[in-house]
Structures are given as structure tokens and as C-alpha cells.
Amino acid sequence: MTSAAESTYAIGVDLGGTKIETALVNAEGDIAEKQRTPTEAKQGPDHVVEVIVSTVTAHYLRDARRAVSAIGVGVAGQVDPETGIVRRAPNLDWRDFPIRERLETALGLPVTVINDVQAITYGECRRGVGRGTKNLVCLFAGTGVGGGVVIGGELLRGTSGNAGEFGHMTIERDGLPCTCGNRGCLETFVGGWAIAQRARTRVAAEPAQGATLLRLAGGKPEGISAALVGQAAAQGDALARALVEETGTALGVGLAAIANALNPELLILGGGVVEGLPGLVEIAERELGRRALAAALQPLKVVRSKLGADAGVIGSALFAHETARKRGAQGTAP
Ligand SMILES: [Zn+2]
């Protein structure tokens, strides 16, 4: 038996600071077609809306046989769950932009807007490594650190849409300043920008310890990135290895807090820092095991993300599908 929702597609949009990924996705989470276009964020939000509208119209709405029920957008920023207004998106330089309303007006389809890591989380839950799991947490560490939570099979959005912002949990009370204005956030240890910053400071103080790292950076401390820290650690650089140990330990401290607070079955880790720093996940798991409550650890598994770069478009499309289905069910209820 095939319901109306299962025979239709949703369009997933992953809106980042440099590129926009879009995909036509069926109710099972299979991608039928996908596109990538530059965001050109400098040209302003009206231009970005125009890019999305023209891509969607040209590629996904041209074939009348393929019924599209909804559009889901994942944005790297804070999204108001009620209005679909992007409150703050530093990578796009947006503040209070009503993207949902703008896209619904232009495309004539229902639009849902969520945070980009929430979209990844939903994608991993429905289609990826979390398939069949009711309670899970995702933590993605790239330049910044984002997260998402699924409880009872439902994506947790929070009152203002920022449930799962684990990057800004305080790990060290008087630690380094964070991009959010606080000090000692998890991101000040695990964010790519913070790893690079720590490495530059240490190399300046102990150049002999970080000789390999400095060489990989062409002899220039300012050329050090988190990716180079990972490469140098893999080559045995003492300073880079110490940084990986410190980063993994801080990550484990954060994971223990998450495990105790939310008691998930699955902790899914992903992002460039997780992929690029050798041994990071194992160090974090060791620290998690030392700190979390036994009752929180007993059912818990730590795994790596599975869907890769497609997680965002799959998750935002499936979330849009699900939202449209629920609205339809409410509309036909007696
Ligand atoms: Zn912070």
C-alpha cells in the first residue's frame, strides 16, 4: 500500500556560507537528483533566495509527473521554529531574515527551516547510522561545533530553535574566549578555529616540539590549520599529538555531560575535526567512560556519521516530508 506522501518527493536544501546543496529526495530518503551552486552570500539574502528559487524551479519542478510535497531548508545559523525566520547566520551575514515566507511565496510550496546540524541529525536518524534508533545525539566539529538531538524519534528543536548547541557548553569556567561571547566553551577546544589558534600559540612558545607541524605550515605559524595539526600528529609531531590528546579529552568531557543529561542510545560524531585528528574519537570515548554515570554509559554507543555530505539535504527533505505529512493528518482529522 502506498500513501500519497510516500509517492511524492521533497526538496532538501543545505544552505551554507559558501555553497548551496539541493536535492530531490523521496520519502525513503533516496536522492533522485542533486545540484550544488555557490551561495554568493556577499550579494545579500535576496540574491541567495533567487539562487535557491531558480535552482529548484529549473531542476526539480519542471517534471509534472514528479509530485513535490514540500521543501526543507537547513541553514548554518539560529532558526526560529515557529516563523522560519533565520535569527542569526554569521556565515551568511544574515540577521532576522524571513527565508521561509520568501521561499513559500516564490515557490508556492510549504517550506520548513531548521538548523543545518539539526538537519544532519534528522538525516542520520532516519536514513543513516541512527536508523531504527529513538534517542540519539549528533555532534559535528568542523570550524565550529554544532549538534542535534532526537528524543523519542522526534527532532528536538527547543523554544528558540537552538536545542543541541553543544559547542557552547562550558567546559572550563575561565577558559579562552569563544565566538559566542562566553569563555571556555567546548568549541574553544574542539572547533577547528580553536585548534589552529592553540597550535599557533604553542608553536611560538615551543618550536622544537612542533617542528613537523611548523614545516607542514611552510614555516609560518599563521599558516597552521586544524587539518595540519591532524597531519602532523599522524607523523608523530609531539606538539600536535599533545593537542589531539587535549582536544579529545575536552570532547569526552562534553560527551559525558551530554550522556548524563539526555541518556541517548547513540552518540554520532562527525565533521572535519573528527575525521582529521587521528585517535580523537578513541581519546574522547576513554574520557567519556571515566566521567559519565554508569546508567548513562550502559546502553550507549559512540559511532561516526555515515551519510557524509548528503546528510544535510536528506535530513532537511525528510523533515519537510514529515512536517507536511503531520499537517495533512491534522487537516483531515475529524
Ligand atoms: Zn561559545
Side-chain angles (χ1 to χ4, degrees):
M1 197 178 81
T2 308
S3 75
E6 281 165 350
S7 63
T8 59
Y9 293 87
I11 294 163
V13 179
D14 185 1
L15 174 53
T18 56
K19 61 185 186 323
I20 302 170
E21 311 258 4
T22 60
L24 188 67
V25 179
N26 72 11
E28 298 300 305
D30 300 316
I31 293 180
E33 195 184 332
K34 62 179 172 179
Q35 302 289 330
R36 174 188 283 194
T37 44
T39 308
E40 299 169 329
K42 282 205 166 57
Q43 296 193 47
D46 291 340
H47 176 75
V48 174
V49 166
E50 184 47 42
V51 171
I52 296 171
V53 168
S54 58
T55 305
V56 164
T57 308
H59 294 282
Y60 309 129
L61 301 181
R62 63 176 195 274
D63 186 347
R65 288 167 302 176
R66 297 194 301 201
V68 175
S69 67
I71 297 172
V73 185
V75 184
Q78 288 170 11
V79 182
D80 185 304
E82 296 298 323
T83 60
I85 291 173
V86 176
R87 290 294 175 206
R88 194 170 163 269
N91 297 344
L92 296 160
D93 200 17
W94 286 8
R95 265 187 182 274
D96 298 324
F97 184 68
I99 188 167
R100 184 171 91 192
E101 187 192 320
R102 295 290 300 277
L103 290 176
E104 283 185 341
T105 303
L107 292 166
L109 285 165
V111 175
T112 58
V113 188
I114 53 179
N115 167 271
D116 59 343
V117 185
Q118 290 176 346
I120 290 171
T121 304
Y122 198 69
E124 288 288 354
C125 177
R126 290 283 312 280
R127 180 73 192 180
V129 70
R131 210 167 185 173
T133 307
K134 288 262 185 283
N135 302 309
L136 63 81
V137 169
C138 262
L139 192 144
F140 269 65
T143 303
V145 178
V149 181
V150 170
I151 296 288
E154 300 280 339
L155 182 69
L156 191 68
R157 301 194 65 191
T159 310
S160 348
N162 66 320
E165 284 285 11
F166 302 119
H168 302 289
M169 294 190 307
T170 302
I171 298 294
E172 188 177 18
R173 196 176 63 181
D174 300 314
L176 295 175
C178 183
T179 54
C180 71
N182 185 26
R183 282 181 171 274
C185 292
L186 182 61
E187 188 170 305
T188 69
F189 290 91
V190 182
W193 66 265
I195 295 167
Q197 186 180 308
R198 284 170 186 275
R200 288 175 202 139
T201 308
R202 303 272 175 88
V203 158
E206 306 168 79
Q209 291 283 301
T212 304
L213 177 59
L214 198 55
R215 183 172 49 74
L216 288 173
K220 297 185 178 112
E222 64 273 20
I224 292 173
S225 62
L228 287 187
V229 171
Q231 286 177 34
Q235 293 178 31
D237 183 271
L239 193 150
R241 289 175 80 126
L243 273 168
V244 172
E245 180 73 29
E246 183 181 307
T247 306
T249 303
L251 179 57
V253 171
L255 295 183
I258 294 167
N260 287 350
L262 294 168
N263 193 195
E265 304 163 61
L266 212 56
L267 274 170
I268 303 172
L269 303 180
V273 166
V274 171
E275 301 304 325
L277 298 196
L280 186 81
V281 173
E282 291 70 23
I283 297 164
E285 276 196 87
R286 185 195 66 203
E287 194 64 24
L288 165 68
R290 282 180 184 158
R291 289 178 181 265
L293 295 168
L297 286 172
Q298 193 267 327
L300 183 63
K301 274 194 284 194
V302 179
V303 293
R304 288 166 191 266
S305 65
K306 182 178 161 189
L307 293 177
D310 289 335
V313 286
I314 293 173
S316 45
L318 288 175
F319 189 74
H321 244 311
E322 186 61 19
T323 305
R325 192 187 63 78
K326 281 180 184 161
R327 280 187 192 137
Q330 276 171 5
T332 55

